[in-house]
Amino acid sequence: MKTADLAGLPPGVPEHLRDEGIEELYPPQAEAVEAGVTAGESLVASVPTASGKTLVAELAMLSAVERGGKALYIVPLRALASEKKAEFERWEEYGIDVGVSTGNYDSSGEWLASQDIIVATSEKVDSLVRNNAPWVDDLSCVVADEVHLVDDSHRGPTLEVTLGKLRKINPGLQVVALSATVGNPEDIAEWLDAELVESEWRPIDLKMGVHYGNAITFDDGSQREVRVGKGDRQTPALVADILDDDGDGEDDDGGGSSLVFVNSRRNAEASAKRLADVTEKRLTSEERGELAEIAQEIRDVSDTETSDTLANCVAKGAAFHHAGLAADHRSLVEDAFRERLIKVISATPTLAAGVNTPSRRVIVRDWQRYDGDFGGMKPLDVLEVHQMMGRAGRPGLDPYGEAVLLAKNADTRDELFERYIWADAEPVRSKLAAEPALRTHLLATVASGFAHTREGLLEFLDQTLYATQTDEPGRLERVTDNVLDYLEANGFVERDGDGVTATSVGHTVSRLYLDPMSAAEIIDGLRWASDHREEKLRELEGEADGSARENRADAEVDADAGFQRASEMVPEEGTDADGDGGGDAESDDDVEFETDRTYPTALGLFHLVCRTPDMYQLYLKSGDREEYTELCYEREPELLGNTPSEYEDVRFEEWLSALKTARLLEDWADEVDEDRITERYGVGPGDIRGKVETAEWLLGAAEQLAGEIDASATVPVREAKMRVQYGVRDELIDLAGIRGVGRKRARRLFEAGIQTRADLREADKSVVLAALRGRRKTAENVLEAAGRKDPSMDDVREADAEDLPEATFETAKDRREDGDGEADDPEEQASLGDFG
DNA sequence: GAAATAGCGATGTAGACAGCATGTC
DNA sequence: CTACATCGCTATTTC
C-alpha cells in the first residue's frame, strides 16, 4: 500500500511521509490500515520491535485528530515520553500540537486540553483519570505502547485498569495496542474488542544464533567463524569481530557496533572495562578527540567513582549502562552510541526496555539472572531475550542485524536454540488479582466514582483482561473482599451493606497516588508521633544535655577517612551575630538558643516514608546488620513507632533496611558529598537521585496527610521534604529555594554571611560574587532570582574577590569536592529539583 | 627473589512509576 | 531445595 493513497489524514501528511522516504507501507502497517486504524477501529498489533509500530500509532492518532478528536499515547517510561514527543513534533507544521505529561515534566491541565496528541506514562494517565482531568472526556484515540507490560506484576495492573477506565468513560474510544510478539495476542484483542494484526515481519533481517567454540551458528543454518584464543573470552572476540567487519558494502563505517547484555551492574562495568581494550585500538584520532570531550561531560555530571569509571571507558570507545547511572550519563552514552562514537555498550536490561539504541550486533551474554524468590539463577523470559535481540540491526546502516547468545558447551548451545531461538514468547497473563494491585485500584475506583457498590466494583473488574483470562472464577471476588476489608479497617472507605464510599482520607490517598498501605503506615507513624511527642522529646533533650556527644556516632569514622563533615564547615557561630531565626545546625554543647528541637526529626520522617511499600529500600549487605542494629538503638527515640523485636526476623530486617535508606537521605540532607554517599551505601549516582525523588514525593504526600489528620506534624514534614529536595541542612532551605542556587552555592553564600534571600537582596555584590567563585553571569542570575532590583555586576571589580581570603579558600576546596554536576559554565548549576 | 598464577572462600546480585507548584519546551 | 562471576587473599609455581 502506498502512503500517498492513505485517506483521512491531515493535509500534507502523506506528502511529508513521502519526503521522509516512506512511500510504501510495511506489510504489518498496511494490514493495520486495512483493519481500519485510520478509520477509528481498535487494533492490537503484535509485531517485532522496530517494525514500524510507531507509524501505525501515528496514522491512528493523526486521522483521529483530523476527524476532530484528541489522542493519547501511553508509554511505560518517562524517557520514552520525551522520545515520542520529539518524534511526534514533526507533525506540528500540519497543525498538530503535542504535549507531555509525566511526574517530573508536566504541563498545565488547560494547556494539555488544547493539545491534539498527549504523551504520558500509564501511572500519570491513571492519576489524571483519578483526578478527573477535563480533557480525558475528549479523547477519541488511545495508543498503549508496549502493552505486553500488563504482564508486569508491579505496574501491569495500572495499565490494565487505566485502559478499562478510559474505555468506560468513552465507549466509542479507539484503542490501538502495540505489543511485542507474545504468545497470546488474541487474548489482548478479545479484551479490547479489537482487530488483531500479527506479524513476524521486520524491515531489517535479524539473524539469531549461538556462539560456541570458534563459530556462531545462526538460525538460518549459516555459520560464521569467530575464533576465541585459549584463555580469551567470547564477548571481546565477538565485539572485535564485528568491529573489524566492514564487508557490508554500504559505506566505509569501519564495521559495526555491539550491545552486550549482562545480568548485573557489576558485570556491566567489568565487561565494559575489558571491552574498552578492544575498542581503543580501533579508534581514529578524530574519534578519540570527540570521545575525550564526551568523557569530560560525563565527569561533569557527577563526581563519583561510577562516573569516573564510565568516563574512562567512554574515552576508549566503550561504555556501560545501568540504572545506577544518572539520567544525564545515560543519555550521553545513548547519544554517543547512536552517533557511532561509542562502539560497544555493556548493559543491564535498562537498555532493552528504554529508548531506541539499535546496534549491528547484539550479544546476550547472560541469559540467567539471580532471583531471590526463585532462590538462584533463573532463566530470562523468552520475551525479554527477544526484546534484547530485537535491538540488532540499524536501519539504513546494516544489511541485517545479528543477535548472538553465548554457550560454553554443545549442550548449552542446543538448549539456547530450543529455549530462545526457536521458541515463541510466553503468553501475557494479567497480574491484577493480587492484593497490592487491587488495594490501590479499588480505592481509586471508588474514590473517583467509577463504582459505588461491591457489585459495581466486581462488574468493573469483569471488563479487565484478568477476567477474560481467568479460569478461577471466585478468586477476584475473594481478593476484592479482602481488600475492601482492609480499606475499611484503615478508614479509607466506609461500607453500608453493599455500598462503598471513600472517606475524606480515602479521597486524599487516591489523589496523592499513594499505595493505601503506604498511607496507612504514614498515618500510623504520624499519630504515634503525636501520642509520644512529650516522652520522646524528653528522651532527646536528655541525651542532648547529658554530654557533648557527637551528633552522629560515626563522626569519628568519617574523620579517620579524612572526610570533613558538612557541619564542620559551618562556622560555629553565624557570621553575623543577630541570628536570623532560620534555625542553626544542632550544635552539641551548651546551647545559647532555646532548645525547641523539632519533633518528629528528619531522620524519623525519612525512616517512616522509607518503610512504606512505595519506597524501594536499600538492602543490607554483610556487616550492615550489626552496624544498623547499633544505629537503630542509638537513634531509637527519633523513630516513629515501636522498633520490632530483634527476634522478629523479617520485620526487624525491614526496619533496618528502611533505616539504612533513611540514613542515605539524612546524609544527602546533611550536605554529604555525592561520591561519599555512593561509596558508603554502595549505590550509584542514579540511585541517590531515585531515592531522593521518591522521598520527596512521599514526604509531600505525608505533608498533606498530616494536614488532614494531625496538623501538628505538617511543619516538620515540610521541612524534611525541603531538606531532601534541595539536599541541604535546615539553615539553607531559604537560599536553596532560589532558582540557580543548589546545595553547594547555598552553602558558600551562607558561609560568606548571606543567610537568607533578604540578605541576598541587601548584600555587598562583591561578597556575592566571591562566594559564587567570581562568576559574574551566575551572580547576576542568582541576584535576579532572589528578587534584587539591581542585579547587574558590571560595576563590581573582579579584584574584589581577592579581598576575601575565606572565599578564595572555598574556591580551591570546592574544585576538589564539588560533586554536583556543576560544569564550569555560567549556567552550571541545575536546581536540585530537576533531576532526570 | 620478584612476579605471575592458581586456588579458595566470601560476597552480592535488574528495573523505576507517582503529588504539587513552578518553570520550560 | 536450586547459581555463578568477581574479588581479595594466600599458596604455589615460574622466570
Side-chain angles (χ1 to χ4, degrees):
Chain A
M1 182 182 285
K2 300 264 185 243
T3 47
D5 302 336
L6 290 168
L9 296 173
V13 168
E15 292 75 13
H16 185 106
L17 287 172
R18 191 196 54 219
D19 295 345
E20 281 179 9
I22 308 175
E23 291 190 21
E24 183 82 28
L25 290 181
Y26 292 152
Q29 294 167 341
E31 267 186 71
V33 171
E34 277 154 29
V37 257
T38 52
E41 295 294 327
S42 288
L43 179 84
V44 171
S46 173
V47 295
T49 19
S51 63
K53 277 186 293 204
T54 307
L55 185 61
V56 173
E58 289 180 308
L59 294 177
M61 296 192 296
L62 291 171
S63 59
V65 172
E66 180 64 11
R67 286 191 301 274
K70 188 181 186 68
L72 173 65
Y73 192 99
I74 305 176
V75 289
L77 296 171
R78 289 180 199 164
L80 290 173
S82 25
E83 190 189 50
K84 292 300 171 191
K85 182 202 179 215
E87 215 172 327
F88 299 155
E89 270 174 348
R90 70 190 200 281
W91 304 118
E92 281 186 343
E93 57 179 298
Y94 306 101
I96 311 287
D97 298 320
V98 185
V100 191
S101 182
T102 63
N104 63 341
Y105 181 90
D106 203 358
S107 316
S108 77
E110 302 90 75
W111 192 66
L112 284 178
S114 72
Q115 303 305 103
D116 303 304
I117 295 177
I118 294 164
V119 185
T121 54
S122 35
E123 284 76 10
K124 188 65 187 190
V125 177
D126 185 17
S127 167
L128 290 164
V129 170
R130 290 182 188 193
N131 298 307
N132 299 315
W135 51 266
V136 169
D137 301 339
D138 307 333
L139 291 174
S140 58
C141 174
V142 168
V143 179
D145 198 4
E146 312 284 352
V147 82
H148 54 270
L149 292 174
V150 289
D151 189 273
D152 182 280
S153 60
H154 182 57
R155 297 180 55 207
T158 304
L159 179 57
E160 187 176 342
V161 167
T162 303
L163 283 176
K165 286 185 179 170
L166 290 173
R167 295 178 71 208
K168 189 163 176 176
I169 293 171
N170 188 341
L173 187 68
Q174 174 186 22
V175 179
V176 177
L178 309 176
S179 171
T181 43
V182 295
N184 57 342
E186 61 284 348
D187 282 3
I188 303 176
E190 185 192 339
W191 163 47
L192 296 172
D193 302 313
E195 292 290 314
L196 175 62
V197 168
E198 217 183 334
S199 170
E200 297 284 334
W201 188 91
R202 35 168 70 247
I204 302 185
D205 208 25
L206 176 64
K207 291 175 75 168
M208 297 182 282
V210 178
H211 182 264
Y212 157 61
N214 287 319
I216 312 171
T217 308
F218 285 107
D219 52 348
D220 60 5
S222 66
Q223 289 209 324
R224 180 186 174 99
E225 186 179 20
V226 180
R227 298 193 91 60
V228 179
K230 195 168 150 44
D232 287 348
R233 292 168 180 267
Q234 290 170 286
T235 315
L238 285 159
V239 169
D241 171 66
I242 203 69
L243 216 45
D244 293 337
D245 176 279
D246 50 3
D248 58 31
E250 298 282 313
D251 58 35
D252 56 347
D253 64 7
S257 56
S258 312
L259 282 178
V260 181
F261 286 103
V262 298
N263 64 3
S264 74
R265 295 179 179 188
R266 201 171 58 178
N267 284 341
E269 298 191 16
S271 161
K273 282 187 206 165
R274 283 192 297 267
L275 293 171
D277 296 333
V278 174
T279 54
E280 189 184 20
K281 296 181 212 150
R282 293 166 169 83
L283 297 175
T284 65
S285 56
E286 245 171 282
E287 288 174 328
R288 269 176 234 277
E290 291 182 62
L291 285 166
E293 279 175 35
I294 297 167
Q296 188 51 48
E297 284 183 62
I298 287 171
R299 283 182 225 276
D300 288 343
V301 170
S302 140
D303 180 19
T304 56
E305 204 187 319
T306 310
S307 189
D308 202 46
T309 313
L310 181 63
N312 290 337
C313 289
V314 167
K316 298 178 185 177
F320 53 89
H321 190 285
H322 57 63
L325 297 183
D328 290 342
H329 284 144
R330 292 202 222 176
S331 44
L332 282 167
V333 167
E334 290 155 8
D335 292 346
F337 186 73
R338 269 191 294 266
E339 286 164 27
R340 296 149 70 194
L341 285 169
I342 289 178
K343 308 297 180 188
V344 58
I345 303 181
S346 297
T348 57
T350 19
L351 203 64
V355 297
N356 194 27
T357 48
S359 164
R360 171 70 192 277
R361 178 174 279 175
V362 166
I363 300 164
V364 182
R365 194 193 78 177
D366 301 336
W367 52 280
Q368 301 187 97
R369 187 162 48 225
Y370 179 82
D371 181 334
D373 301 329
F374 186 71
M377 298 303 272
K378 190 180 178 182
L380 301 185
D381 284 347
V382 178
L383 180 58
E384 205 174 343
V385 171
H386 282 181
Q387 294 268 98
M388 295 176 189
M389 299 203 293
R391 293 274 137 148
R394 297 166 296 179
L397 220 53
D398 297 324
Y400 55 85
E402 294 174 351
V404 186
L405 290 149
L406 304 190
K408 285 197 172 54
N409 54 57
D411 285 348
T412 313
R413 178 190 59 195
D414 297 345
E415 188 192 346
L416 289 175
F417 262 98
E418 283 300 312
R419 186 188 276 276
Y420 293 115
I421 295 182
W422 303 134
D424 291 329
E426 296 81 5
V428 167
R429 294 265 161 230
S430 165
K431 300 291 189 291
L432 185 62
E435 285 201 21
L438 282 185
R439 228 160 37 211
T440 305
H441 292 296
L442 289 187
L443 176 60
T445 304
V446 170
S448 51
F450 270 87
H452 307 92
T453 60
R454 177 179 171 281
E455 279 312 307
L457 282 171
L458 290 172
E459 207 174 291
F460 174 70
L461 292 175
D462 202 42
Q463 306 299 311
T464 58
L465 174 64
Y466 181 84
T468 69
Q469 286 192 324
T470 186
D471 42 10
E472 196 191 335
R475 170 123 181 257
L476 203 50
E477 194 168 347
R478 204 172 61 242
V479 183
T480 298
D481 285 330
N482 288 344
V483 168
L484 285 177
D485 288 345
Y486 175 88
L487 293 174
E488 186 179 26
N490 283 283
F492 299 134
V493 301
E494 277 167 355
R495 280 201 277 180
D496 176 19
D498 196 44
V500 190
T501 46
T503 61
S504 153
V505 183
H507 273 109
T508 306
V509 172
S510 167
R511 179 172 54 82
L512 293 174
Y513 212 80
L514 281 180
D515 181 334
M517 193 177 263
S518 297
E521 185 81 44
I522 290 171
I523 290 170
D524 280 356
L526 293 176
R527 289 216 172 105
W528 192 94
S530 81
D531 291 347
H532 295 74
R533 187 185 161 80
E534 302 306 322
E535 170 196 344
K536 291 291 164 185
L537 267 174
R538 239 176 292 122
E539 280 180 43
L540 288 165
E541 291 306 329
E543 282 181 41
D545 293 348
S547 66
R549 79 174 182 101
E550 290 289 343
N551 191 21
R552 294 242 304 258
D554 61 329
E556 303 95 311
V557 180
D558 287 342
D560 284 344
F563 170 71
Q564 191 179 24
R565 284 186 49 78
S567 61
E568 293 162 9
M569 310 194 303
V570 180
E572 272 307 306
E573 335 195 72
T575 327
D576 57 345
D578 61 32
D580 59 296
D584 207 339
E586 293 108 335
S587 52
D588 12 16
D589 39 21
D590 55 3
V591 277
E592 68 275 14
F593 56 87
E594 291 287 298
T595 55
D596 58 344
R597 192 187 250 278
T598 57
Y599 184 82
T601 62
L603 182 82
L605 292 165
F606 294 158
H607 185 254
L608 179 61
V609 297
C610 286
R611 58 190 208 236
T612 67
D614 277 312
M615 175 64 91
Y616 216 125
Q617 293 164 359
L618 296 175
Y619 73 113
L620 301 176
K621 301 182 182 183
S622 71
D624 281 356
R625 199 185 154 95
E626 293 73 52
E627 186 185 343
Y628 287 96
T629 303
E630 200 185 312
L631 184 75
C632 180
Y633 289 124
E634 203 174 310
R635 308 291 294 277
E636 213 267 338
E638 295 182 56
L639 305 184
L640 311 180
N642 296 316
T643 298
S645 147
E646 265 188 64
Y647 304 103
E648 285 181 85
D649 228 45
V650 179
R651 284 233 302 141
F652 188 65
E653 192 105 352
E654 277 182 16
W655 193 263
L656 291 187
S657 28
L659 181 60
K660 184 178 177 185
T661 315
R663 258 276 291 218
L664 181 152
L665 294 172
E666 190 186 38
D667 274 353
W668 170 254
D670 272 348
E671 297 168 46
V672 176
D673 280 338
E674 201 183 11
D675 64 331
R676 176 72 194 164
I677 299 179
T678 55
E679 191 186 316
R680 185 189 279 176
Y681 299 94
V683 296
D687 299 297
I688 300 180
R689 292 170 185 212
K691 296 281 174 296
V692 166
E693 203 180 325
T694 308
E696 211 182 303
W697 164 57
L698 286 170
L699 287 166
E703 184 186 339
Q704 298 196 36
L705 286 172
E708 193 138 350
I709 55 148
D710 164 26
S712 75
T714 0
V715 172
V717 174
R718 183 185 309 134
E719 196 169 292
K721 182 191 80 172
M722 291 171 84
R723 285 190 54 200
V724 241
Q725 187 178 341
Y726 303 133
V728 296
R729 296 177 149 248
D730 54 4
E731 70 268 21
L732 295 188
I733 289 177
D734 187 38
L735 286 175
I738 300 169
R739 184 152 47 89
V741 179
R743 61 196 321 225
K744 303 281 177 184
R745 287 179 184 168
R747 178 53 71 196
R748 282 195 295 268
L749 288 166
F750 191 87
E751 285 178 58
I754 300 165
Q755 305 194 348
T756 63
R757 281 169 200 250
D759 290 350
L760 205 46
R761 286 193 287 269
E762 304 301 321
D764 190 334
K765 282 184 186 173
S766 63
V767 174
V768 175
L769 186 59
L772 296 174
R773 300 193 279 171
R775 305 201 183 288
R776 312 179 85 88
K777 186 67 187 149
T778 307
E780 284 176 8
N781 290 341
V782 166
L783 286 184
E784 195 177 350
R788 186 154 179 156
K789 290 198 175 65
D790 53 336
S792 169
M793 281 281 155
D794 295 345
D795 51 338
V796 183
R797 283 179 304 116
E798 189 75 50
D800 290 352
E802 307 302 323
D803 300 340
L804 291 147
E806 284 170 52
T808 317
F809 165 69
E810 270 307 301
T811 304
K813 193 176 68 177
D814 281 357
R815 284 261 155 66
R816 199 156 28 83
E817 293 189 346
D818 259 356
D820 225 12
E822 295 189 15
D824 272 350
D825 75 67
E827 305 298 333
E828 56 182 324
Q829 188 166 0
S831 112
L832 291 161
D834 52 44
F835 305 145

